[in-house]
Amino acid sequence: MRGTVQGVGFRPFVHRRATALGLTGWVSNDGEGVLIEVEGDLGSLDHLELDLSSQPPPLARVDAVEASPLPLSGHVGFVIRPTSGSAHVDVPVSADAAPCAACLDELADPANRRFGYPFINCTDCGPRLTIVTDVPYDRPSTTMAAFRMCAPCQREYDDPVDRRFHAQPNACAACGPQLRWRSGSEAVDGPAAVTAAAACLRAGGTIGIKGVGGYHLACDATSSSAVAELRARKRRPAKPLAVMVADEAAARGLVELSLVAAAALTSTQRPVLLAPLRKPAAIDPQVAPGLAELGVMLPSSPLHVLLLGAVDRPLVMTSGNLVDEPIAHDDADALARLGPLVDGLLTHDRVIHVPVDDSVVRVVSADRLQLVRRARGWTPRPLYLPVAADRTVLAVGAQLKSTVALAREHSLVVSQHLGDVENWSTHVSFVRAIEHLSRLARTAPDLVVHDLHPDYPSTAWAARSGLPSLAVQHHHAHIASCLVEHGRSSPVLGIAFDGTGLGTDGTLWGGELLIADLTGFRRVGHLLPVPLPGGDAAVREPWRMALSWLEASIGPDAAARWGASVDDRAPAVLGLVRSGSQPLTSSAGRLFDAVSALLGVRSRVSYEGQAAAELEAVARLGGPGGGAYELPSSEGVLDPRPLLAGLWHGLQRGAPVEQLAADFHVGLSSGVAALAVTVAADAGVDTVALSGGVFQNALLSDLLSASLRAAGLQVLLHEQVPPNDGGISTGQAAIAAASLAAGIAERVHVNPQLA
Ligand code: ZN
Ligand code: ZN
Ligand code: FE
């Protein structure tokens, strides 16, 4: 049986079913899934096969069953065999899972011995990756080793027919972890801690709460003073905050939920779901200012279930960290870092060994979702590599939204989202993630693959590692990550739109059309490069890019006039633009920044992508575009200047910004589609892959894919791998594997262009 069948209680499940049906034989994990050899009468065998594929354990997903007859071996009894050795990357640990229905029933049942116990779990649910210290995955290799099971818990754990058979975090109030509430001099232990924390929240307080993969900061999402206070303390002025609600019905009060979206919201992964905001929503508008969507999630642990029940209102639930720092997971660290920010800490004595942030899923359309941050609930579930790696490959990602990945054979295990690897503390979590992944997979990398950019800390780490290394161009990695998720290795036209990544010509790319497969690429189109005035400052201050584009599109007078209206430093920045000293960039993300600033939507940002996200929200309020805005191309260079000029003249006429923002999206996507159709035909490819952070913009990706499909092209979009830089390690690993297989690893390093 193939699919998600390892580390999800599948073997004990097979054991229980086979034993109940009087069958004999064995079950074991192997490199490709679960292998079962079973003997008995035909009716019972059919029954078993039906049970296994139609009602597998909740965390399992059966993708394929292959069966063939064998001669009788005369097995006695049914046994679980140890995993057979194999070379692929196998992290024999599953992802953390939200409480299952059976555990929730017990949690709420006054007659049950675990009534109200915040650490209830079973074989189907509970913490996994976050508590594992080593392999084999067994209680002594988890942070539950500190708790000795009481006799009733031990009996459950040892009994193959019990639903807690080999549930490593199994515990009860008598033997397991205990809650703790600390607020100034107030100390409450045990179940009353939840009541005390809830009272603090209801009074408008900000608390720290220890979740599955780290601490969250929480406050009452309906109180504007509480939300403002939390924002001030966390130093996060505008970036949207996620909201936790008790159940699906409560979520429906805040956001629009399609069937597909509701399924994701209630899944065992319990991601933050970014869904269209219902207006008016019963939360403070400052939770997600300027945006048309809201991040909602359901309780991800029994503790959250109890807390939401006691507070009885939506709670802001945001990572417990200051801006740009990794999530706090260690108790001493949380006390030091979060203590000064909160009115109380709701914590406990089950140690989080591996910090894992909440995953984030975006609702792109009624029936399409996109994982934009892959972490809790997904990690370390493996992805399938289209071309097998014949050596162990470590991919170290880029710089922002970093992940690392380990690949061997067809198996690719990607780490949880690690954040922006720029400062010391995120660098520490980057190194720890590499070590932990290698330890769990019991393998050491033979090869490290990194970004072409020499200044990324991940590149520097790769150089210091002493391992053979491979440099991969950033946008090639983006497109490869999209190919991985579609199980494809043949050439496509890749459209990679993102912030910036270093190109092979030394300029900063970010609006690229590449004919690419997993072994190489050819740049067949790109946006017109313009100066990026002030490097990183241009990212924080989109008005700088507006000046750069105005200068290029309209001319010096218009640029100077507009600049005078936005910032005193405009003349100096225009000087930079004209100096010829600034790096050139073909970035689509920076073009969105420029338009956002030009239209008066956002000229200074406090989080990455803010200007573009708000521009999209504004554009959704505009009607279908007039189509008067054009993006011509010549020799593969897409020229946004007529488009910018159109917007500029629209502004002079006093056209509504909503309409201009919508027109920009329409003009950009039709211009890009027109070039894409030509270059795809020239190269003889019929498939287009869209990747890069800019494609988190659902309006753009919908418009563009509709145009491409109308022209008869197949479109590959991201669902399971983030389109942003969280997907880079996936693409790097796939390129390394395919390059090794093709024997051209050296060529990729020296010259990434296809011959
Ligand atoms: Zn359970
Ligand atoms: Zn117990
Ligand atoms: Fe990127």
Side-chain angles (χ1 to χ4, degrees):
M1 311 192 71
R2 285 179 232 274
T4 307
V5 290
Q6 297 190 2
V8 291
F10 207 89
R11 286 174 303 159
F13 171 74
V14 174
H15 179 271
R16 284 199 297 279
R17 294 304 308 147
T19 310
L21 290 164
L23 297 166
T24 61
W26 51 264
V27 55
S28 96
N29 284 340
D30 85 341
E32 294 182 76
V34 161
L35 205 59
I36 303 166
E37 188 171 319
V38 64
E39 288 181 4
D41 68 84
L42 276 177
S44 303
L45 290 175
D46 285 346
H47 201 131
L48 180 72
E49 185 174 340
L50 188 68
D51 277 4
L52 297 187
S53 44
S54 65
Q55 27 184 271
L59 301 185
R61 198 192 66 216
V62 175
D63 293 337
V65 182
E66 280 169 30
S68 55
L70 290 172
L72 281 175
S73 331
H75 291 294
V76 178
F78 196 91
V79 296
I80 297 176
R81 280 195 184 169
T83 303
S84 51
S86 95
H88 77 298
V89 175
D90 171 27
V91 172
V93 177
S94 60
D96 304 282
C100 70
C103 285
L104 287 177
D105 283 349
E106 291 184 5
L107 184 70
D109 175 7
N112 191 279
R113 71 187 189 92
R114 290 190 180 85
F115 174 60
Y117 182 57
F119 306 98
I120 186 170
N121 67 82
C122 71
T123 311
D124 297 338
C125 74
R128 295 290 188 275
L129 175 68
T130 50
I131 59 165
V132 172
T133 53
D134 207 346
V135 286
Y137 175 54
D138 211 348
R139 183 132 169 151
S141 311
T142 71
T143 60
M144 287 299 293
F147 302 94
R148 199 188 151 87
M149 276 184 274
C150 66
C153 284
Q154 187 71 49
R155 267 197 302 280
E156 296 165 335
Y157 182 91
D158 290 335
D159 180 358
V161 302
D162 192 276
R163 67 184 199 86
R164 295 195 166 88
F165 176 57
H166 283 191
Q168 305 306 346
N170 189 32
C172 73
C175 66
Q178 301 296 323
L179 268 191
R180 219 182 279 158
W181 166 253
R182 293 288 180 274
S183 174
S185 57
E186 185 193 6
V188 183
D189 288 350
V194 173
T195 324
C200 179
L201 286 166
R202 291 183 66 98
T206 298
I207 72 163
I209 169 172
K210 190 174 181 179
V212 177
Y215 280 79
H216 283 110
L217 291 175
C219 76
D220 180 351
T222 67
S223 159
S224 41
S225 57
V227 173
E229 187 64 31
L230 182 144
R231 281 198 178 282
R233 292 184 189 185
K234 188 174 155 130
R235 285 184 246 147
R236 177 156 153 164
K239 194 173 181 182
L241 302 165
V243 170
M244 185 180 277
V245 290
D247 52 30
E248 186 182 331
R252 284 187 188 281
L254 299 179
V255 293
E256 313 278 351
L257 282 183
S258 65
L259 274 176
V260 173
L265 181 74
T266 56
S267 68
T268 57
Q269 289 96 331
R270 287 290 195 281
V272 173
L273 183 81
L274 297 173
L277 184 61
R278 188 182 281 275
K279 288 189 172 157
I283 52 154
D284 178 58
Q286 288 310 305
V287 171
L291 299 178
E293 59 183 11
L294 175 70
V296 288
M297 67 174 140
L298 299 187
S300 47
S301 77
L303 174 56
H304 291 109
V305 173
L306 297 172
L307 184 66
L308 267 287
V311 177
D312 196 27
R313 60 184 69 172
L315 294 178
V316 164
M317 199 62 78
T318 182
S319 303
N321 54 1
L322 288 174
V323 165
D324 297 335
E325 286 182 351
I327 189 167
H329 69 288
D330 174 85
D331 296 319
D333 177 48
L335 198 63
R337 277 162 63 198
L338 303 184
L341 307 182
V342 299
D343 301 305
L345 270 177
L346 182 60
T347 179
H348 57 75
D349 53 358
R350 187 178 71 200
V351 172
I352 299 171
H353 184 69
V354 182
V356 183
D357 276 282
D358 297 321
S359 291
V360 180
V361 171
R362 188 169 192 203
V363 178
V364 182
S365 63
D367 58 359
R368 197 164 77 81
L369 307 176
Q370 191 179 68
L371 204 50
V372 294
R373 190 207 277 163
R374 195 175 186 272
R376 180 176 49 71
W378 272 273
T379 315
R381 193 186 279 192
L383 295 168
Y384 183 84
L385 273 188
V387 178
D390 62 8
R391 278 174 266 171
T392 300
V393 171
L394 169 67
V396 293
Q399 179 169 26
L400 301 179
K401 297 181 166 62
S402 173
T403 57
V404 297
L406 211 51
R408 183 81 194 233
E409 301 295 322
H410 284 289
S411 176
L412 171 69
V413 176
V414 185
S415 77
Q416 70 275 25
H417 162 91
L418 301 170
D420 301 345
V421 182
E422 290 173 302
N423 58 40
W424 176 246
S425 46
T426 36
H427 187 71
V428 169
S429 49
F430 165 86
V431 173
R432 277 193 56 170
I434 293 172
E435 288 168 358
H436 197 247
L437 215 51
S438 305
R439 182 176 319 123
L440 294 190
R442 290 150 300 169
T443 180
D446 300 314
L447 175 80
V448 58
V449 49
H450 59 86
D451 197 276
L452 201 57
H453 202 305
D455 299 337
Y456 288 166
S458 54
T459 305
W461 185 91
R464 282 199 312 271
S465 72
L467 292 165
S469 68
L470 202 64
V472 166
Q473 200 279 323
H474 189 88
H475 302 95
H476 184 206
H478 270 305
I479 299 306
S481 74
C482 191
L483 294 181
V484 167
E485 105 161 63
H486 293 277
R488 184 168 173 136
S489 55
S490 52
V492 296
L493 169 62
I495 304 183
F497 277 11
D498 71 347
T500 49
L502 184 61
T504 51
D505 60 359
T507 69
L508 296 170
W509 293 5
E512 312 307 309
L513 277 71
L514 313 174
I515 297 292
D517 62 13
L518 292 179
T519 58
F521 73 93
R522 185 156 54 88
R523 190 189 197 200
V524 292
H526 57 86
L527 287 172
L528 179 76
V530 293
L532 178 78
D536 282 349
V539 178
R540 289 190 302 272
E541 300 181 337
W543 60 267
R544 291 169 176 256
M545 280 314 293
L547 282 183
S548 193
W549 274 110
L550 277 179
E551 170 86 8
S553 315
I554 321 288
D557 292 349
R561 199 149 32 98
W562 184 82
S565 71
V566 288
D567 200 288
D568 294 347
R569 293 163 295 163
V573 170
L574 269 176
L576 280 178
V577 168
R578 291 166 189 157
S579 68
S581 67
Q582 299 299 291
L584 293 176
T585 184
S586 53
S587 164
R590 298 291 84 83
L591 176 62
F592 271 84
D593 284 356
V595 172
S596 189
L598 180 64
L599 297 185
V601 175
R602 175 64 52 192
S603 47
R604 288 166 193 81
V605 303
S606 66
Y607 63 90
E608 195 211 357
Q610 183 180 10
E614 293 181 6
L615 182 67
E616 180 191 359
V618 168
R620 286 181 176 279
L621 304 172
Y629 301 94
E630 288 189 4
L631 179 69
S633 59
S634 155
E635 311 264 293
V637 179
L638 284 156
D639 187 353
R641 287 176 297 183
L643 188 53
L644 268 291
L647 297 175
W648 172 257
H649 295 302
L651 275 178
Q652 311 304 310
R653 282 201 311 275
V657 270
E658 292 82 1
Q659 189 60 58
L660 295 174
D663 290 342
F664 167 69
H665 281 76
V666 172
L668 179 67
S669 51
S670 51
V672 172
L675 176 60
V677 168
T678 310
V679 295
D682 288 351
V685 301
D686 60 1
T687 304
V688 183
L690 306 187
S691 189
V694 168
F695 287 113
Q696 282 167 230
N697 181 325
L699 182 59
L700 178 75
S701 57
D702 282 354
L703 287 167
L704 181 54
S705 37
S707 302
L708 295 169
R709 288 194 187 105
L713 292 162
Q714 194 196 338
V715 181
L716 306 180
L717 298 165
H718 280 286
E719 286 181 17
Q720 292 295 312
V721 176
N724 56 49
D725 284 5
I728 290 291
S729 64
T730 296
Q732 290 172 337
I735 290 167
S739 302
L740 287 169
I744 58 164
E746 302 319 312
R747 203 177 79 200
V748 170
H749 186 58
V750 177
N751 174 13
Q753 308 279 330
L754 274 181

